Amino acid sequence: MDTDEFREFGKAAVDYLADYTDTLRERPVIPNVEPGYLGRLIPDEAPEKPESWQEVLGDVERVIMPGMTHWNSPQFHGYFPSAVSYPSIVAEMLSAGIGCLGFSWMTSPVCTELEVTMMNWLGKMLGLPEQFLNCTKGPGGGVIQSSASVATFVGLLAAKERTTRRMMKLHPDWSEADIKAKLIAYTSDQANSSVEKAGLLGSMPMRHLPSDEHCRLRGSTLLEAIEKDEREGLIPCYVVATLGTTGTCAHDCLEELGPICNDKNVWLHVDAAYAGAAFVCPEFRHLMSGVEFADSFDFNPHKWLLVNFDCSAMWVKDSRYLVEAFNVDRIYLAHEKEGQQPDYRHWQIPLGRRFRALKLWFVMRMYGVQGLQNYIRHTVNLAKQFEGYIRNDDRFEIVTEVTMALVCFRMKGDNSNTRELLDKLLARRKIYVIAATYREKLFIRFVVCSSLCEARDMEFAWKEVSERATEILNPVPQQDVAVMSAIESSKEPATNIATMIKDLKIEHGLKEKAPKIS
Ligand code: PLP
């Protein structure tokens, strides 16, 4: 492909993406395919001869889109958001096009320096304590990881290194292997699966401590567990507290957990993968009070801050522990300016690293702090709108307090109606929601995810939920379904048909009153 063709291809791809975004609301959010669908659409072997870009790009709609779950559709309310924005897409294109790797300052000075500066901008925007920032005196600083899972694992490895060194100094007669075998980590029973995985990968048992009735991990629970383990000769090493749990967006009590961790020399990592973005708005910052006790803090701009995957922002109070844990030198990695700026290969697991700071730069400049705050507030208000519908209908209940843009709700009674509601919603594929449980109660998580979401999308989702609930609580007898479809296809004058259908619908509770918003 020559440069002229690249220009055409690239422009056509941008046009395609713009059209895709404009038509997202009309596309079914959940694909209608069965496993193996792709095998019928593409050949088993790579083509012998080159194909044109027109053929390849044309196949995106034919082959790719039928199997796509549209994460940025305004009808996508599952998991947490997967951010996207035009400034971020363009920055990602530039980064791909430039194609540099920035594992040391020397391999691309701008990669490192822009990342240092962006992590300072972002940290200040969130109101993080100064010790986490690189612009203050001291060993703190920020780094972009690929995901929150990786950040939790990196924190665990640094904690392991720090505790092992400390114990070796305290007990020179203990072997490193003996110390490592006694290390133990803690989190709550609400922590993300990635926290358990970090324990598995890092060979450190992870205790899942019970959370309180608001799904939060409390200090007394942690202290009790730590003291019990200490009595049994184990060495408490690492605590992962979550701000914004995946299930219910609960916030562990950092103000209680922090002093215990500091007192016991246990590394405290804060996983704020989703909720962290909300801290750009001062009114949410009370939810992170106690963050000053943490050793590391991570959140995903790639979830709720309009920066596309992957971009996970991690800060540490003392980067020397990372460097000690991850420092492996080779002659070919050395350079003359070492020590003046971070060599980020020491702050992460892989050697190679992408130029991700570029998309933070584009997004922060083109939205500004105010634009990002407005965006977060807009999504939270939409969630409030949806919450209002649920609260005003006594067939439903809200499961936990709605603090951000996640609404957890269920149908009253045992779990069977909620299960049926979920099955019906997914079978119809009009909106995407997922299930979660808390203390045996099944509930539905509804997250305002897409940056395209508007009030009408909340109305749409509510109508879909409400009508399915009506079907469950008020099933229409089969013979009436038959009557209704017979009437609908009959040759009666339109006004008669409309009246007959309306009467039947009212009889079966299918005619909805206009929803009230509190
Ligand atoms: N932590 C929490 C609280 C999450 O909700 C998630 C994902 O939703 C993760 C961690 C994992 O994030 P990532 O996919 O960036 O590893």
Side-chain angles (χ1 to χ4, degrees):
M1 178 172 287
D2 63 19
T3 314
D4 286 340
E5 234 187 325
F6 169 60
R7 282 183 207 283
E8 273 184 77
F9 184 16
K11 284 173 189 164
V14 170
D15 280 343
Y16 178 81
L17 276 179
D19 292 342
Y20 170 73
T21 310
D22 283 350
T23 55
L24 254 177
R25 188 171 273 104
E26 283 77 58
R27 292 175 185 255
V29 57
I30 307 176
N32 186 10
V33 290
E34 293 299 324
Y37 92 95
L38 191 67
R40 287 186 292 281
L41 297 178
I42 58 173
D44 291 339
E45 314 285 333
E48 264 322 299
K49 301 224 169 93
E51 297 179 48
S52 71
W53 69 259
Q54 288 88 347
E55 285 169 297
V56 177
L57 191 59
D59 273 357
V60 171
E61 201 56 39
R62 185 183 69 86
V63 177
I64 303 298
M65 285 305 158
M68 189 58 72
T69 301
H70 298 287
W71 278 68
N72 284 288
S73 155
Q75 278 90 48
F76 185 96
H77 304 291
Y79 305 97
F80 277 137
S82 160
V84 76
S85 68
Y86 291 135
S88 178
I89 295 171
V90 173
E92 191 75 307
M93 270 170 54
L94 290 178
S95 165
I98 295 164
C100 62
L101 295 191
F103 48 81
S104 65
W105 179 86
M106 196 62 200
T107 53
S108 262
V110 68
C111 270
T112 301
E113 296 198 15
L114 192 66
E115 186 158 331
V116 169
T117 311
M118 286 309 101
M119 291 302 288
N120 288 334
W121 281 18
L122 195 57
K124 287 181 193 169
M125 205 192 280
L126 258 58
L128 283 184
E130 281 201 336
Q131 303 105 294
F132 285 109
L133 306 184
N134 191 292
C135 48
T136 54
K137 281 213 170 85
V143 58
I144 305 177
Q145 305 285 2
S146 56
S147 69
S149 314
V150 168
T152 303
F153 184 47
V154 164
L156 181 140
L157 296 177
K160 195 171 185 175
E161 188 67 23
R162 184 177 85 172
T163 309
T164 308
R165 280 170 193 244
R166 185 171 60 82
M167 294 312 283
M168 283 172 80
K169 266 197 200 136
L170 278 176
H171 305 281
D173 51 325
W174 292 7
S175 77
E176 188 173 332
D178 280 347
I179 294 170
K180 286 190 170 156
K182 288 182 187 159
L183 299 180
I184 182 109
Y186 308 84
T187 194
S188 95
D189 55 8
Q190 298 298 305
N192 186 260
S193 60
S194 53
V195 180
E196 183 173 344
K197 197 168 184 177
L200 281 178
L201 293 174
S203 307
M204 199 184 294
M206 180 74 66
R207 297 227 189 282
H208 288 87
L209 305 176
S211 49
D212 71 4
E213 70 279 15
H214 301 293
C215 305
R216 301 169 305 178
L217 179 59
R218 306 300 301 260
S220 52
T221 313
L222 176 68
L223 186 61
E224 201 183 309
I226 286 182
E227 288 179 341
K228 182 167 180 286
D229 283 335
E230 282 176 335
R231 282 196 298 277
E232 288 171 13
L234 296 174
I235 307 170
C237 173
Y238 189 48
V239 169
V240 181
T242 311
L243 295 183
T245 56
T246 315
T248 64
C249 199
H251 293 72
D252 289 342
C253 300
L254 286 187
E255 278 178 320
E256 295 175 7
L257 304 172
I260 298 168
C261 292
N262 288 184
D263 184 45
K264 298 277 182 190
N265 272 310
V266 172
W267 184 293
L268 175 61
H269 176 73
V270 177
D271 173 11
Y274 164 70
F279 304 140
V280 301
C281 301
E283 66 269 28
F284 290 106
R285 290 194 193 142
H286 66 278
L287 292 169
M288 67 164 177
S289 66
V291 69
E292 62 279 9
F293 296 110
D295 294 284
S296 49
F297 176 96
D298 181 84
F299 91 102
N300 284 344
H302 72 224
K303 277 191 162 52
W304 197 14
L305 209 62
L306 298 164
V307 179
N308 60 290
F309 196 87
D310 55 351
C311 183
S312 192
M314 179 187 195
W315 289 267
V316 285
K317 253 192 206 153
D318 192 340
S319 60
R320 289 172 302 189
Y321 294 117
L322 292 187
V323 175
E324 279 167 17
F326 298 140
N327 194 348
V328 177
D329 275 326
R330 289 289 182 278
I331 183 78
Y332 49 79
L333 297 173
H335 62 88
E336 279 181 0
K337 315 281 181 194
E338 268 174 29
Q340 297 180 40
Q341 288 279 328
D343 277 338
Y344 274 130
R345 69 192 168 88
H346 300 315
W347 299 48
Q348 61 169 23
I349 295 166
L351 175 61
R353 62 197 328 270
R354 303 182 335 100
F355 191 10
R356 287 178 291 223
L358 200 61
K359 46 192 181 184
L360 276 178
W361 193 46
F362 275 35
V363 168
M364 284 194 270
R365 289 183 64 190
M366 281 185 237
Y367 282 88
V369 179
Q370 285 178 5
L372 293 171
Q373 290 172 335
N374 291 343
Y375 173 65
I376 295 287
R377 288 173 184 144
H378 168 68
T379 14
V380 171
N381 286 337
L382 291 175
K384 286 202 179 106
Q385 179 187 342
F386 187 80
E387 181 193 1
Y389 295 141
I390 298 285
R391 285 199 188 277
N392 277 304
D393 190 318
D394 58 14
R395 297 172 299 174
F396 295 96
E397 61 190 5
I398 293 284
V399 176
T400 49
E401 190 196 347
V402 181
T403 50
M404 291 183 177
L406 165 66
V407 183
C408 298
F409 70 97
R410 64 193 300 283
M411 288 183 74
K412 285 181 182 162
D414 67 19
N415 287 339
S416 59
N417 283 346
T418 304
R419 164 58 56 206
E420 197 179 342
L421 175 61
L422 186 73
D423 291 346
K424 277 180 180 284
L425 291 172
L426 294 179
R428 280 170 54 87
R429 295 196 289 272
K430 301 279 184 200
I431 59 171
Y432 192 169
V433 282
I434 59 169
T437 50
Y438 179 62
R439 298 200 171 150
E440 313 294 316
K441 271 193 177 177
L442 182 74
F443 62 89
I444 295 176
R445 291 171 76 267
F446 177 94
V447 192
V448 179
C449 287
S450 166
S451 56
L452 302 173
C453 271
E454 298 171 4
R456 61 177 160 147
D457 300 302
M458 300 302 104
E459 280 165 35
F460 178 85
W462 163 244
K463 192 163 177 287
E464 182 63 11
V465 167
S466 170
E467 285 182 1
R468 301 297 75 72
T470 303
E471 282 172 12
I472 293 166
L473 296 175
N474 230 350
V476 180
Q478 268 321 101
Q479 78 244 36
D480 288 351
V481 173
V483 172
M484 276 198 272
S485 61
I487 294 170
E488 269 165 328
S489 56
S490 85
K491 300 219 164 29
E492 284 283 323
T495 45
N496 293 356
I497 293 174
T499 317
M500 288 156 86
I501 292 175
K502 199 169 143 208
D503 289 347
L504 264 171
K505 284 190 173 170
I506 289 171
E507 192 183 325
H508 293 295
L510 288 174
K511 186 79 188 157
E512 297 299 332
K513 289 184 210 132
K516 282 187 221 147
I517 310 169
S518 62

